[in-house]
Amino acid sequence: LREKLIFEHSVAGRQGYSLPALDVPAVELPEALNREDIVGFPEVSEVDVVRHFTRLSTWNYGLDSGFYPLGSCTMKYNPKVNEAAARLPGMSGCHPHTPEHLSQGALGLMFELQQALAEISGFDAVTLQPAAGAHGELAGVQMIRAWHQAQGRSRKKILIPDTAHGTNPATAALCGYQVVPIASGESGILSAATVAEYMDDDVAALMVTNPNTLGLFESNIRTICDIVHQGGGLVYCDGANLNALMGIARPGDLGMDVMHFNLHKTFSTPHGGGGPGAGPVGVTEKLIPFLPKPLVVSDAGQYRLNFDRPQSIGRMRSFYGNFGIMLRAWAYILTMGGAGLKHASEMAVLNANYIRARLEDTYHLPYPNRSLHEVVFSDKQLAGDCHTLDLAKRLIDYGYHPPTIYFPLVVHGAIMIEPTETESKEVLDEFCDAMLAIAREADSHPELLLQAPGLTAVGRLDETAAARKPQLCYKPAE
Amino acid sequence: LREKLIFEHSVAGRQGYSLPALDVPAVELPEALNREDIVGFPEVSEVDVVRHFTRLSTWNYGLDSGFYPLGSCTMKYNPKVNEAAARLPGMSGCHPHTPEHLSQGALGLMFELQQALAEISGFDAVTLQPAAGAHGELAGVQMIRAWHQAQGRSRKKILIPDTAHGTNPATAALCGYQVVPIASGESGILSAATVAEYMDDDVAALMVTNPNTLGLFESNIRTICDIVHQGGGLVYCDGANLNALMGIARPGDLGMDVMHFNLHKTFSTPHGGGGPGAGPVGVTEKLIPFLPKPLVVSDAGQYRLNFDRPQSIGRMRSFYGNFGIMLRAWAYILTMGGAGLKHASEMAVLNANYIRARLEDTYHLPYPNRSLHEVVFSDKQLAGDCHTLDLAKRLIDYGYHPPTIYFPLVVHGAIMIEPTETESKEVLDEFCDAMLAIAREADSHPELLLQAPGLTAVGRLDETAAARKPQLCYKPAE
Amino acid sequence: MRYIPHTDDDVRQMLATIGVDSVTDLFVEVPEAVRLDRPLELPEPMSESQVLAEMKRLAAQNATTETHTIFLGGGAYNHFIPTVIDQLISRSEFYTAYTPYQPEISQGTLQAIYEYQTLICQLTGMDVSNASMYDGASACAEAVLMAARATRRKKMLLAASLHPEYRETVATYCRHLDIELLDLPYLPSGRIDQAALATLLDTETAAVVAGYPNFFGVIEELAPLAAAAHQVGALLVTAVAEPVALGQIKSPGELGADIVVGEGQSFGMPVSYGGPGVGFFAARQKTVRSMPGRLVGATRDKDGRTGYVLTLATREQHIRREKATSNICSNQGLCVLMATIYLSLLGRRGLREVAAQNLAKAEYAKQAIGALPGFSIPFSGPTFNEFVVEVPGDIDVLLLKLEQQQILAGLPLKRYDATMEQRLLICVTEQNSREQIDILVEALKGAAA
Amino acid sequence: MRYIPHTDDDVRQMLATIGVDSVTDLFVEVPEAVRLDRPLELPEPMSESQVLAEMKRLAAQNATTETHTIFLGGGAYNHFIPTVIDQLISRSEFYTAYTPYQPEISQGTLQAIYEYQTLICQLTGMDVSNASMYDGASACAEAVLMAARATRRKKMLLAASLHPEYRETVATYCRHLDIELLDLPYLPSGRIDQAALATLLDTETAAVVAGYPNFFGVIEELAPLAAAAHQVGALLVTAVAEPVALGQIKSPGELGADIVVGEGQSFGMPVSYGGPGVGFFAARQKTVRSMPGRLVGATRDKDGRTGYVLTLATREQHIRREKATSNICSNQGLCVLMATIYLSLLGRRGLREVAAQNLAKAEYAKQAIGALPGFSIPFSGPTFNEFVVEVPGDIDVLLLKLEQQQILAGLPLKRYDATMEQRLLICVTEQNSREQIDILVEALKGAAA
């Protein structure tokens, strides 16, 4: 059952809004400025709108619909109390230009969150301004560059292992750096020797994800950080996988200099179909002067915004960041406490290892080390013509959201599973049973995989056609 | 995909709640009173609960899912702003024992709603206490009996036409009355002569629905009321179909003495899968002393509850009624205003007549008079072995909630369609197209009807087996 | 009009299809003489923002736990409501659906009711539960009617300690049915006087109706009541206005009750100025066919899949009309769902813990207030989360003094019983912190000084 | 722990399957030396009721339209938010899903984005819109980067009347990319000085960046700017911080803009202390492949059914990594949905009516305040819903006096520009009644007297 576009529901004269009568004289703009019409905009009733988006929603799969083991995305349960907190009128209704003495609740929350994230990560200071992980990366690498400049150096290269997220090289490039890829090698983790080999006095930084995108802890990280530091460089940590380490080990203690957090991963804020998230950044002492401005500070029990930061890299966006997301993360931290966060990391790692143990005889495991919060298989042992994509689509028929596929790039046909701690053993068992059943189907009835999914609103879509002749905007038929 | 019962998700030790630590000394009850366990209760996490009920919801069909033309139920759009209003902490959080001077908002709202319902219906006073339509009927018939008693009479019979809702005779019986059914005759409406024939001095009241359950206006109602009144009886109006008459004609003006409203029908409050509703009752002057207590009154700008009502039939339930539902109805009335309510009735009648016009050549129309807000067909012209039930189930396959079926009882294989005013011409056209297509299918491919529905979580269920050996409570397998 | 989609053009086309000239022509069967010849006198229509502003204006005139510290119970209870409940009941598939007449597209509602029925059975210790009724008071009235049907007797013994609004509602329902209602007095303990019961009980007696806990918060001893009633062939009806208590006190079923009714508002519903809540109603297996209200049962479809349907409809009024077991034709669907979600979240341990906190906090308050000079606790029986206090001086003055400190100290009982003009019913739940209780105690002390 | 389902028994069984003895053994690859040897120092865990209470405590310390009459704009706007929006975005299928990587089970998100892209195109008069960016300021920075890529030039002319936070953000993004940012001054009208523009423009110039309306609420004349820019092969980038204006002012596309960015918070999102909102980004067809951010396109499945997919991913970093058009790898999904619902509800007439009310109310306020003794309106250009006022006396004292009357009168501009120490930016939307405006005017008069 197709749901029409909202534009196709439009009937001239229908309306879905109401306004109080205008209580002041109407004003006409000069003709040169005046807009007569918004051609194409829909005219629908409130009922039309409600049914339209309700129906659209039923074609989506969310965390509350079932297991969503998308690797690298930490799709943990999004607590409902956080949503209620974010909707308190005193929170959502506070204007960003409210005088500081009349927004102490908002400022206080942000200050406490900065402190808590610093404690969790082992960094000395945290900015909450960046709007997402990649935005945090950008702030982080800007700070690295600003620090080098302040030292009077202008290094040009950034080292990035092949297990990195794609945003890492993109960010480095956006800051004017040349990207030097490093191979992580057979073990899946960086060796100190490799880093030493690449390190020279044109290297501004190493960007590393820990645990990395194979779910492996970078065991040599302390030594690697020492090597980079001795070479005059800094180490950037992509914090996307912090969910494996809370209360276990702190990136700041490991020798990293900068790290972004993904509040929408580690701290349970909803993913929203692609956002909004929030990407705070933690730094060590020496980078504090370069943090974006403003920063929330506490002065004699009053919270205020400090704009007077002459060495700051400046502003990453308007206002103070995605406050609504910070608020949810703070509610999560209050709920969990320190012991609860550690327990979350432990159970996340337990869950991933359990899946690994249940599937490793059937699915090829390209890296043998003990992995942490996620596990990466390949499709090497999948029978016949069936590949990772087919497996993923077949999982949809079984009622699951597929794992991340074809990432990380170092694994051919990668299947990257991150269960998170909020899933129960029963859920994992049923999922593993499905994975094992699909492996058998690949052998006995490969067409079940190749033609999947079968129960969705649409079948596999022609992405090539979409890209070849892009249709990005609805135009009514003439 | 079956969703297990919540009990089947239970795992010992799992928990879905949290409490602050107890801040006073714990207390032990004497052993004779103390309960050790609640055997069978589930132990599940918050995530389990959220997924379980989210999945259950997807097997339901609501108004926001699509057209829901359930006759006699007035399934109009449930405005979202009313839901928001009901959730204001100052509304939902007000305790019913709050002193009157600290609950003026709640009392004021109830007073204004009483006044508005009186104006809409033409009655002299309104009680908001009854919790549902049938509860309002009970209050109404109790008042009729109390009035007769106050007059020193003890009449024993109530006249009820065969087009009445089933609750009417049940209510009369619950008040100790003997029910005398009257045939409505070929025109589908009551004739004055018939009523005169049955009227005698043992008749306490006539209970009538107007427009009646065939969607027909009781055109003789003024004369009929006169006859009943002259015979010393009263007329009860079942207000379930008020959605046809707002601003058009008022039951109080027609000569009725008592009427219940269904706020969840006429006044847009949500049906909630079967409730809660609210069933206020309006009465003429002479019945005011008998209204249930307490009643909200206004004294010099202060609202208060009047408990001092010696002739009152008493209390119908605890507290003051379903305040949360009244509040939504009041928000609806504020939104619509007088002209808006009249427009709603007009468009509801237009919609029903449009469906009638589009389907009357194909579906048998047992009563030829002009109907108002709903239209009743029969399955007489449906081909082959297909009956009303099969048509209804086939409509599910087309994406619709079926109309009311096999009611009213005077129509064999009745199909009772009430579109309400909130549906657009496009929705009605698509529905009529489906109805016409199904009529053709009944001829060409009857199995499509007989085996419907095909796309639902379960197929047609064995209701006979359910009633023969009732399983009303889950028991775990031993 | 944002809820009515008709454009002028739509109306024109539709009238043409119908074959009439104007909307007025659709109303030809409504005689001119009875038509309303003026506009309805109601407030002018408001925009959405105006409606919300008006509602906020009204809401600001009501005291709530956001503005006051509240110790009110007496049939409605301030318990914590987990956020999950509102999220789930706000799914339109639940709240915009109606009675599950078409089971194939109503399995969500039906399965939830089946789960609710099971939870109520487990909680009350009974065999069958219906799909809910309007509220505790009307459920109690229906229980009395059912007892009369089941025993074919007309005499009812209603505990004087039963919630007075339940008693009044029972009276209204029984008014015209020749059912005799007699008072069952209570002792200084606040419990039913068993000696008086022995005198009143006879083979004409249909039922004994007791609160559990009763209106004074006192926990009755049910077992002897059941034994005495059963000896003469009468039933024991138990009414539970505060079902959180059942997390800590033995189930009525275990103690011999035959029908257990009550109010479910405590299970995840806001107090909402007294409604909507939900009446629960549970009974023994043998009486299932004479139970009032809807029932949901499990069955199978043609492929053997389990599904749920409304069942035993032969008891209902749309089939048997005046011979139906009651005139109720709905249930409190969405409130049932709220209770089901609440009880699922709290579960086996959680409900017991919440109950334990209520018990402990109320006891802490009772001891402290009872020890205040001039105050006393008139009933000696064990209480759950509310208790009666005898206060010194003018009670209205006392309460006003506390209101000025933003405290609503309790429910004065004189409204229900003129002989209780010094008595206050104080309720303490898990939502009241020790600090709040201490402040109440100090405030009472100060106000009485 | 209510979010973590593991029982002790589960943990034991899972460890056995894995083949290790304890949870600690799972962390063997984390060297002992780097493990944290103490508990995290964070507040003790709170129950749900405690978390809510703490959040309410904080919320009560913030001024909002529920506590104050507010005339703040300057990049975030108090518009009425129809209730429908929150109802719909609270459906878990929307808000708990992630980026639509698997289109077959993400058609809801994808179709909504496609509708959003279309609405943005219609509103801005452009050909293509991306699936959104973080906010208006960062979208503006991305537009500058795109202009540099598209023109292969490095000189940018930024209007001094552009929102200062947009200007600062552009500066941060351009910091290390050898892009030169020059100021484009404004006239006493508050509009860009076209003579100065003529001097600054040359064939090195990549783009002219103008606010529309600008930071002072003044509506720029875009057509001459576009003409001048195009003459030297430069682009016109238009940044719209208050897109409700586009309901009443001509679209930038119609006037010749090449890239239109802006902040969508006005479209149904709460001000939320500055975030989240949504950055919109639209451009001409020919530059689609150099646009940053995600794009959704229509396509078909094997049975010919229409469906939507993320497309032109070759511009993205997960394929081209350091050669990607930007490092952005998400969009503001849920905020996009809010804007889409808002614009659908208001539609063709509604957005124009809302804009007309903003225009009229702000003009009413501007006239009244401009007429007050000692007050003046420094900029003569036409304004939309905000305007600058020059106030007499100490501005901080003035504002404090108004705060005491629960009025937040506007944004003092000295924070952004020390030369503007007497200037206040006042914003009036459809949410401010005439009565509120009259009170503001009186209060300003009184405070200055």
Side-chain angles (χ1 to χ4, degrees), chain A residues 36 80 138 272 413 434:
Chain A
E36 293 292 343
K80 305 312 169 199
L138 182 60

Side-chain angles (χ1 to χ4, degrees), chain C residues 41-76:
Chain C
E41 284 176 19
L42 294 172
E44 285 300 298
M46 289 183 183
S47 73
E48 185 177 349
S49 60
Q50 289 169 315
V51 169
L52 270 178
E54 169 63 7
M55 288 294 181
K56 285 181 185 171
R57 187 186 70 78
L58 291 172
Q61 296 171 22
N62 296 330
T64 69
T65 52
E66 307 225 325
T67 60
H68 289 68
T69 302
I70 295 184
F71 297 94
L72 294 171

Side-chain angles (χ1 to χ4, degrees), chain B residues 3 17 30 53 56 80 193 204 264 280 298 340 342 432:
Chain B
E3 172 60 18
Y17 70 98
F53 290 100
L56 286 190
K80 306 311 169 200
H264 48 289
S298 168
K342 182 176 183 185
C432 290

